[in-house]
Amino acid sequence: MTFSKQDIARRAAQEIPPGSVVNLGIGLPTLVADFIPPGSDVWLHSENGLLGMGPFPFEGDEDPQLINAGKQTVTVLPGGSTFDSAASFAMIRGGHVDLAILGAMQVSQHGDLANWAIPGGRVMGIGGAMDLASGARRILVLTTHTTKDNEPKLVAACDYPLTAVRAVARVITDLAVLDCTPEGFRLVELAPDVSLQQLRQATGAPILTP
Amino acid sequence: MTRPSSKRRDTIAQALDGLTDGAAIMVGGFGLCGNPEALIQGVLDAGARDLTLISNNSGNMGKGLALWLRAGIVRRVICSYIGNNEDLHRLMAAGAVEVEITPQGTLVERMRAAGAGIPAFYTPTGVGTVVADGKETREINGRTYLLEHALHADFALIRAQRADAFGNLRFWRTARNFSPVMATAARVTVAEVDHLLPNGAIDPDDVHLPGLYVQRLVEVTQHEDPFEYRTTRPRPDAGA
């Protein structure tokens, strides 16, 4: 049995220290918010100028001028603040965001991240991805272990356009939790009933066991 | 040449006076959130062409700055994200619009630098990526940084919730985004405001952008403020 998307998000929430400032990327990382324990004093940062982001508004309370980086309507919690984009990216680039949880198209064993463009595909843009990947104090990646065509996304070296070099600390996939090291991906945790052999077959880089 | 002593303009056309073909225009907004809707329409009505548009997303869903793209008045776009902006995808693929994609933090810092008299700066963002192609790098304290240059504009068109007569501005929630930074980087900043109030109506400690950065004000009380993704959760039962 592999980790479901919910399992990945739940496992990722365990990586968030109480009292920290966290930026959640678009897609799978957004689900992590549902698993942050109440009262853990975690502050969600949104790159468009919001700290202390709350859940989606109740029906009827939505404000088109209060959105997250995915342009979805959100709320702001008591203690939250809004600010301009220069301040928001100074927080990111200046190392004031403790953790960024991001999606990926490829991650290399060295921690290189590719998550903004597919070669030959249409360019969606960079947005805040490069600033987050190079600026946040710790980068956690959530992704499926392979592409829809069963190509490994965890590789020895990325061949997709890079977002940042030597940025990713840890990767959580449907198969395992792994740390990036120059020698390969170091296994932290296997999903239930996934074998080491299965993991190695699905990975395009060496797997190091503890 | 007469120079109006007041920053207030009664019409959008007056607020955009002096806008010429080929101008570089910064437009506030994160997607459609915080767009100066009336000024965007006003640029179309003024007939200016061959524009350089500097804005984070440059329109979406056929709304906002997508109006400029569809009208064919934009020659060049500097933005950070295209996403599902089909108009820009189409024009970019056809070679009709030149697009420079810049990391979002670098884009806004280039504006900040322009407004603060800093001609260029070093940033860690983009090192080792295509963004670094052709740019000078420098190692400082063991880390490599990219040299990025200040970004100026002829006009900044922004939206604010409240202004006083001097042009001190307050923004609403995440509609602030790039607007106050763009205002510092442009030769002429025009603010489209929901409420234009007398001086003194905004406490000095509550000013988000000091009025010296704003050259013209136009009050627009009605806005569409479209939702891009209207996400909600069900209201809990009030109980019987």
Side-chain angles (χ1 to χ4, degrees):
Chain A
M1 195 182 77
T2 56
F3 286 138
S4 69
K5 283 187 174 180
Q6 304 295 321
D7 294 334
I8 292 172
R10 189 181 296 112
R11 180 63 185 77
Q14 294 171 15
E15 301 282 327
I16 303 177
S20 56
V21 172
V22 182
N23 186 294
L24 303 179
I26 294 167
L28 186 48
T30 306
L31 297 179
V32 177
D34 296 339
F35 297 99
I36 299 171
S40 56
D41 195 32
V42 169
W43 296 86
L44 294 181
H45 174 271
S46 188
E47 72 197 29
N48 54 316
L50 174 60
L51 181 61
M53 179 170 61
F56 293 151
F58 291 128
E59 286 166 14
D61 288 350
E62 59 272 30
D63 178 348
Q65 298 189 82
L66 180 53
I67 61 169
N68 64 16
K71 304 179 182 82
Q72 299 169 308
T73 47
V74 294
T75 52
V76 54
L77 297 175
S81 54
T82 50
F83 34 84
D84 67 56
S85 302
S88 187
F89 280 89
M91 292 175 191
I92 294 168
R93 212 188 297 104
H96 308 286
V97 173
D98 299 300
L99 175 67
I101 304 182
L102 305 175
M105 294 169 179
Q106 286 184 332
V107 182
S108 85
Q109 64 190 55
H110 300 280
D112 296 349
L113 174 65
N115 76 348
W116 72 278
I118 300 170
R122 83 176 191 171
V123 176
M124 300 298 274
I126 296 166
M130 287 189 182
D131 299 284
L132 280 163
S134 62
R137 297 190 78 84
R138 184 165 189 259
I139 306 295
L140 177 66
V141 159
L142 311 186
T143 178
T144 55
H145 206 88
T146 55
T147 67
K148 289 189 190 98
D149 302 324
N150 281 320
E151 295 292 325
K153 290 173 128 185
L154 279 63
V155 293
C158 299
D159 49 18
Y160 284 18
L162 289 179
T163 305
V165 293
R166 292 182 174 40
V168 180
R170 178 166 282 190
V171 185
I172 304 178
T173 76
D174 46 331
L175 301 186
V177 181
L178 301 142
D179 284 342
C180 298
T181 79
E183 296 76 37
F185 289 97
R186 186 175 302 283
L187 180 62
V188 177
E189 197 178 318
L190 265 177
D193 303 325
V194 171
S195 71
L196 196 54
Q197 190 193 1
Q198 264 178 290
L199 179 68
R200 288 202 157 111
Q201 275 172 357
T203 307
I207 299 286
L208 313 175
T209 49
Chain B
M1 196 175 78
T2 58
R3 183 186 168 87
S5 58
S6 163
K7 292 182 181 179
R8 180 178 193 134
R9 300 290 183 275
D10 292 325
T11 67
I12 294 294
Q14 288 167 11
L16 292 170
D17 183 47
L19 180 68
T20 55
D21 289 355
I25 310 181
M26 292 175 174
V27 184
F30 188 89
L32 304 176
C33 177
N35 279 171
E37 296 173 9
L39 290 170
I40 288 173
Q41 181 60 44
V43 170
L44 272 177
D45 297 341
R49 309 188 64 82
D50 209 22
L51 303 174
T52 293
L53 166 59
I54 305 163
S55 190
N56 190 52
N57 309 79
S58 304
N60 199 11
M61 308 192 309
K63 291 178 183 284
L65 293 161
L67 299 175
W68 292 10
L69 296 171
R70 288 180 174 193
I73 64 170
V74 177
R75 177 176 52 86
R76 183 158 181 257
V77 168
I78 303 175
C79 68
S80 91
Y81 195 73
I82 301 171
N84 297 318
N85 183 352
E86 300 299 336
D87 295 290
L88 190 50
H89 279 297
R90 179 173 48 78
L91 292 165
M92 193 166 67
V97 171
E98 180 193 336
V99 180
E100 177 184 336
I101 298 175
T102 302
Q104 192 177 159
T106 299
L107 180 61
V108 71
E109 190 65 12
R110 290 177 65 196
M111 297 171 187
R112 199 197 71 79
I118 308 286
F121 58 92
Y122 284 102
T123 176
T125 303
V127 170
T129 77
V130 294
V131 168
D133 289 351
K135 288 178 186 157
E136 188 180 325
T137 60
R138 180 166 169 179
E139 195 170 300
I140 302 172
N141 297 328
R143 192 172 179 192
T144 305
Y145 296 88
L146 277 189
L147 187 67
E148 295 279 5
H149 286 81
L151 185 61
H152 298 264
D154 299 308
F155 276 79
L157 309 182
I158 65 172
R159 161 91 178 272
Q161 191 207 21
R162 307 173 77 193
D164 65 18
F166 180 55
N168 292 308
L169 300 184
R170 276 182 67 79
F171 300 88
W172 178 255
R173 302 296 188 246
T174 55
R176 189 182 329 186
N177 56 68
F178 285 79
S179 288
V181 192
M182 288 174 165
T184 71
R187 198 167 45 79
V188 177
T189 292
V190 187
E192 173 179 333
V193 302
D194 299 14
H195 306 285
L196 182 47
L197 307 164
N199 285 334
I202 303 175
D203 187 276
D205 288 336
D206 291 337
V207 170
H208 292 158
L209 180 73
L212 68 83
Y213 294 112
V214 178
Q215 280 70 47
R216 300 174 191 173
L217 294 161
V218 60
E219 189 176 45
V220 177
T221 53
Q222 298 290 319
H223 286 94
E224 181 187 356
D225 288 332
F227 290 96
E228 280 178 71
Y229 303 100
R230 190 178 202 141
T231 44
T232 58
R233 63 192 155 130
R235 200 175 282 278
D237 284 340

